[in-house]
Amino acid sequence: MDTILVVNAGSSSVKFQVFAVDGEGRLQREIKGQVDGIGSRPRLRATAATGDTMADRAYPIESVSDVPAALMLASTWLREELQLGPLAVGHRVVHGGPDYDRPVLIDHGVVARLERFTALAPLHQPHNLAPIRTLLARFPALPQVACFDTAFHRGHDEVADHYAIPRRLHDEGIRRYGFHGLSYEYIAKALPKVAPEIASGRVIVAHLGSGASMCAIHGGRSVESTMGFTALDGLPMGTRTGQIDPGVILYLMTAKGMSPSQMQDFLYRDCGLKGLSGISNDMRELLVSDDPRASFAVDYFVHRVSLHAGMLAAALQGLDGFVFTAGIGENSADMRARIAERLGWLGASLDQIQNTRHAPRISRADSRLPLYIVPTDEELMIAQHTLSLLWNRHSNSQRERAS
């Protein structure tokens, strides 16, 4: 069976999925798994497309001490126990910087260029690149493809990508990139089937999870995003600040003596819902808590989502639809209801029954602004890009031989 392996590596886990490729190039998800608890309580879990458990195994700490070790554990399981050898591996890479506006076949030169963007995504980029380097060393002939969270937004008008700083800094790469692009790209491609009445129009997609952002899409193309130079900007997140006055950062460094590394750790790990509530970064826990700080954190999140919805509607010069996706957006009827209420001025009218049922369309029939839930699938998007580049490479090789 021909397969594509998709890898999404984080600091304490390596998530992977296996897609079968049929004779006509269609992809079918076969396996979904992860190695988590890296460096603490390593565990390999995997399920089949049917939901049946394929593996659930614990390992000693010393055997899975880092991301490369976790990847090799998963790779060995796939190769030796399931006899699966992928045609290629697709990786989620958070930051493509100014160099990459589309997926790319990986070599050592590409890795070296991507390493330069580590400071722009310190929680993600090093871990995204670690399994790539491991596979390059162990299996140099295995094609690998980097798929970027920034790429979908690279078609923005110039005015949307600039900060009000000297142009020479923009030319060096200090610009608004936007993130969660693989998720938004999937939604944009899914809309013609699930919501054809808005697919070619002006749509806001709210990717609401532990990492959260929103994107304005017109005719399937990203027009504006809440995230900018890094994945810190825009909406408050599980542990990240979201939008903040740069003067606050200057104050904390000068008046409080925080170093750049301390500031980075603070902004990425100690703020957002966690910082506001003092309780948890998990929206599910905050929604059931009777602590007033938890209620405040939830209210703040809803407030900021509604504010950014207004900004994105202005960027689109009108609005034809609003889509909820990702963990909170897909699963929390309560949060969708709270946000929809704040979108009433844009014409949103929620159907409470359909919302509770998590139906694809959750707005009333007479709502001027249609509201939808569209589950995202970044892994499928990565698999499609990987297969496409693999075919292009094969086709180019055939043309070269023919000539």
Side-chain angles (χ1 to χ4, degrees):
M1 176 174 62
D2 289 336
T3 59
I4 298 292
L5 174 63
V6 172
V7 175
N8 184 356
S11 59
S12 60
S13 69
V14 173
K15 299 177 182 178
F16 63 92
Q17 294 193 23
V18 175
F19 292 83
V21 184
D22 69 15
E24 297 182 7
R26 291 184 295 248
L27 291 162
Q28 178 67 45
R29 196 185 329 266
E30 296 291 334
I31 301 170
K32 184 176 182 179
Q34 67 180 49
V35 180
D36 55 21
I38 297 172
S40 57
R41 297 179 179 179
R43 196 172 199 94
L44 167 66
R45 310 172 200 264
T47 56
T50 58
D52 295 334
T53 298
M54 299 181 70
D56 188 354
R57 306 172 185 174
Y59 295 85
I61 295 175
E62 61 273 12
S63 67
V64 191
S65 59
D66 55 20
V67 167
L71 175 68
M72 293 313 300
L73 173 68
S75 176
T76 299
W77 176 71
L78 291 169
R79 188 175 61 255
E80 296 184 0
E81 296 193 31
L82 303 184
Q83 283 77 53
L84 291 178
L87 297 171
V89 182
H91 299 266
R92 179 195 180 208
V93 178
V94 166
H95 218 303
D99 294 351
Y100 299 106
D101 61 358
R102 66 199 65 189
V104 63
L105 279 165
I106 296 168
D107 57 25
H108 289 286
V110 169
V111 173
R113 285 191 289 274
L114 293 176
E115 285 174 341
R116 292 183 297 149
F117 310 135
T118 295
L120 307 187
L123 294 192
H124 302 91
Q125 200 84 347
H127 309 299
N128 296 160
L129 297 181
I132 292 174
R133 284 192 292 264
T134 298
L135 291 177
L136 272 176
R138 299 286 186 92
F139 307 101
L142 177 64
Q144 297 188 74
V145 174
C147 300
F148 305 103
D149 263 339
T150 50
F152 183 63
H153 306 291
R154 290 299 306 280
H156 284 179
D157 290 341
E158 189 178 25
V159 70
D161 278 351
H162 272 256
Y163 290 108
I165 57 177
R167 181 172 286 271
R168 59 181 170 78
L169 295 175
H170 176 272
D171 294 340
E172 292 174 11
I174 303 177
R175 60 183 71 176
R176 299 187 70 250
Y177 290 100
F179 297 86
H180 292 136
L182 291 163
S183 175
Y184 293 127
E185 184 180 9
Y186 176 82
I187 300 298
K189 290 182 180 297
L191 284 180
K193 287 186 177 180
V194 300
E197 62 274 22
I198 66 169
S200 61
R202 300 161 297 182
V203 180
I204 292 175
V205 181
H207 178 107
L208 307 179
S210 180
S213 69
M214 296 163 69
C215 179
I217 297 176
H218 190 187
R221 185 178 71 87
S222 176
V223 172
E224 183 60 271
S225 170
T226 58
M227 282 183 168
F229 181 57
T230 70
L232 279 172
D233 202 6
L235 302 179
M237 292 163 255
T239 60
R240 286 174 261 170
T241 56
Q243 184 179 17
I244 189 171
D245 184 339
V248 174
I249 299 170
L250 294 175
Y251 172 81
L252 292 175
M253 295 181 73
T254 56
K256 299 294 185 179
M258 294 180 72
S259 68
S261 61
Q262 289 173 322
M263 179 58 63
Q264 176 175 286
D265 198 57
F266 173 74
L267 294 173
Y268 276 99
R269 300 182 187 276
D270 294 332
C271 296
L273 298 177
K274 176 184 176 183
L276 285 169
S277 70
I279 297 170
S280 174
N281 65 340
D282 191 321
M283 183 63 77
R284 293 166 296 187
E285 294 181 18
L286 299 178
L287 285 169
V288 299
S289 174
D290 58 5
D291 191 310
R293 296 176 300 168
S295 297
F296 178 79
V298 172
D299 289 344
Y300 183 88
F301 185 84
V302 172
H303 175 65
R304 302 307 296 188
V305 169
S306 65
L307 286 180
H308 281 86
M311 178 192 77
L312 295 179
L316 289 165
Q317 292 292 284
L319 193 58
D320 300 311
F322 190 98
V323 175
F324 293 93
T325 195
I328 297 171
E330 294 172 26
N331 300 305
S332 178
D334 188 355
M335 289 303 295
R336 291 195 300 264
R338 292 172 187 238
I339 292 168
E341 182 179 6
R342 295 292 298 270
L343 300 179
W345 70 279
L346 286 167
S349 181
L350 186 71
D351 184 322
Q352 295 288 357
I353 294 175
Q354 296 303 316
N355 183 44
T356 302
R357 291 174 177 170
H358 305 282
R361 177 166 175 159
I362 58 173
S363 52
R364 289 171 41 176
D366 61 351
S367 178
R368 288 188 292 112
L369 178 66
L371 305 173
Y372 295 87
I373 305 169
V374 181
T376 193
D377 197 337
E378 295 160 296
E379 289 78 15
L380 178 58
M381 202 73 251
I382 294 169
Q384 289 175 347
H385 282 309
T386 301
L387 184 60
S388 177
L389 277 182
L390 199 63
W391 277 354
N392 289 340
R393 183 194 197 197
H394 179 67
S395 297
N396 291 337
S397 296
Q398 285 186 325
R399 283 195 294 270
E400 288 172 4
R401 286 196 295 268
S403 61

